[in-house]
Amino acid sequence: MKVKKFVAWDYVVFAGLFLVCASIGVFFAVKERKKKTSKEFLVGGRQMTCGPIAFSLTSSFMSAVTVLGTPSEVYRYGASFVLFFLSYALVIIFTAELFLPVFYRSGITSTYEYLELRFNKVVRLAATLIYILQTMAYFHFTKHLVFFGFAVTGFDLWGSVIATGIVCTFYCTLGGLKAVVWTDAFQMIVMVVGFTTVLIRGTTLNGGTTKIWEVAYEGSRLNIFDFDVDPLRRHTFWTIVIGGTFTWLGLYGVNQSTIQRCISCKSEKHAKMALYLNLLGLWTVLVCAVFCGLVMYSHYKSCDPWTAEFISAPDQLMPYFVMDIFSSMPGVPGLFVACAFSGTLSTVAASINALATVTFEDLVKKGFPNLSEKMSTWISKGLCVLYGVLCTSMAAAASLLGGVVQASLSIHGMCGGPMLGLFTLGIVFPCATWKGAMGGLLAGITVAFWAGTGAFIYPAPPTKSIPLQLSTLNCTLANSTELLLSPLRRPLLADTWYSLSYLYFSAIGCLGCAITGLLISFITGPNKGEDIPPVLIQPVCNLFCFWSNRLKALLWCGVPQLGPATVLVPQVYMRYAPHEEHASLHQPFYKVMQGMLHRTTDWK
């Protein structure tokens, strides 16, 4: 069964999205032309409000993986994906209450500055390089998902690759973070409108909401609460809630792209509010994506396009469905493509801006500390162009790969988990030393990549991840020849360690880093609390030992626990700031204390 391809009106709608995005970049380039500092370009002068930041966060992290991948997952495996709403809630709470306050009050621009303040330059450099590699790898997978997925629409692959790269680079370079944030806000609206249009049309064609619910129930798509504790099962309540929390916390809690936008807010209160408003956005997009999957299953319950070989991969299910139900409505398929590309554009733009910030703050400024503001701004813009070109090249190379929804989250887990463990060591455990941090990071990366690479080579047995039944009863099947392949010889760990759910990669990387880091720290001699500025530590243990000041002091290794910040910041500054003649040896202390003083009014 063939469906129609894109027509002129679809291209017009799609081009309109790119035109609006480019116009936003031009607008902020003209509006902010007199503000030429690198801080204005990279963090919006730290004067953003919570509304646009919330939209921006939702749009960036609800990328093509959600727009195309989640409906396909629900169609094949059932609606258990909706349990991610619990994971998202836990992630936002931890980010807003544990990680964000430390980053915001420290006055940093790059999250990896924190690692130098807390540990040393070596730890900061290692984390920076890992972040750059992780982000570029994610580009590789996400771009492929969009371009390969929309092949069924007749949409030109190379034209879309080049157009996306040019538009993202254009408005990032011209308008900086403000252009990225406001463009993301517009793209978030496009995503919701696109999803809503598909839901209304699909529900109408398939007999209404009640009928869709009945078909989903009969097809076992509503078996959501599976409390099996087997960690080898691909999706259960525990893998999604626990594993999903670790995976997304690596994306939100310590990710430069998220934190950079949060610290651009004009106060800590606005930054936290942006995160909680963003949670509502995440829930909205998740529910839309899950219900799209159920509508799609109802539509194809008797003729699965993938099994019938009308499409070549599950990633193409959603575009195929859109072209099918809107075949008589020119322009509407273009709206949905714009919806998916909105997620892609926002992800690319936010990551380009974050990569430029990290490279400038953690690499360029460390090598050339005396750059003028004008030169710093030009270098920042040049880095945006550089990463835009690299991202476009990565997207072109990615067009040669297969389905990658699970792979994209696996990459984030394998890299993001150890990074989450590293920051947790610094923020939660005052006793952790730089030796423990480096050792823990290496251990976390090793164990996560060991499990992840093994899972790619030796996929889990079908009993752990088999899709639900799909029918081709009413299809005219394509001619095909079934090839019988001899199974690979599986090693001893293939059905245990390598079959671990991909959502646990982040958890084992985080725990491996934290546990190893603490062991090394105690073996080599833990930190002395009086050497650590209190603003770099978040006193979570106070929640569990509030009845005993002595126990608090013991757990915090001598780090002085501050009372009301507005009273004690000057005293802390005097205690920790070294004499002027030794300032060059203690720049991290000066920087963090100055950040505390500048942000004191935000703590009230």
Side-chain angles (χ1 to χ4, degrees), residues 423-434:
F423 281 97
T424 302
L425 272 176
I427 292 174
V428 178
F429 300 101
C431 58
T433 64
W434 75 268

Side-chain angles (χ1 to χ4, degrees), residues 273-292:
M273 185 62 68
L275 284 169
Y276 286 114
L277 288 175
N278 159 59
L279 177 59
L280 298 178
L282 294 179
W283 283 344
T284 300
V285 176
L286 176 65
V287 170
C288 287
V290 169
F291 199 71
C292 271

Side-chain angles (χ1 to χ4, degrees), residues 28 32 35-49 53 104 108-109 175-179 181 260-267 353 599 602:
F28 279 101
E32 308 291 325
K35 300 177 181 179
K36 298 182 179 180
T37 67
S38 60
K39 295 294 183 186
E40 285 286 342
F41 183 78
L42 296 174
V43 290
R46 302 185 191 272
Q47 291 300 312
M48 303 294 291
T49 55
I53 295 295
Y104 195 92
I108 60 178
T109 300
L177 182 70
K178 287 185 178 180
V181 168
Q260 181 176 340
R261 278 172 282 183
C262 288
I263 63 177
S264 71
C265 289
K266 60 184 180 181
S267 69
N353 191 262
R599 296 178 183 274
D602 296 333

Side-chain angles (χ1 to χ4, degrees), residues 115-178:
L115 296 176
E116 182 177 349
L117 296 172
R118 177 64 178 83
F119 298 116
N120 62 16
K121 295 179 181 179
V122 177
V123 179
R124 175 181 181 177
L125 178 61
T128 299
L129 294 176
I130 291 172
Y131 171 74
I132 293 174
L133 293 174
Q134 173 194 359
T135 305
M136 296 304 293
Y138 185 63
F139 276 142
H140 190 60
F141 290 113
T142 304
K143 300 304 146 297
H144 160 73
L145 180 60
V146 175
F147 303 132
F148 179 73
F150 280 109
V152 296
T153 66
F155 198 67
D156 184 70
L157 170 65
W158 298 106
S160 60
V161 169
I162 294 171
T164 302
I166 290 175
V167 171
C168 285
T169 305
F170 178 77
Y171 70 75
C172 284
T173 304
L174 280 183
L177 182 70
K178 287 185 178 180

Side-chain angles (χ1 to χ4, degrees), residues 8 53 61 80 87 119 133 233 241 265 282 311 313 354 357 388 487 532 550 556 562:
I53 295 295
F61 288 95
S80 60
S87 301
F119 298 116
L133 293 174
R233 291 280 304 280
V241 174
C265 289
L282 294 179
I311 56 177
T357 302
I532 303 174
R550 183 178 179 182
W556 285 106
L562 303 180

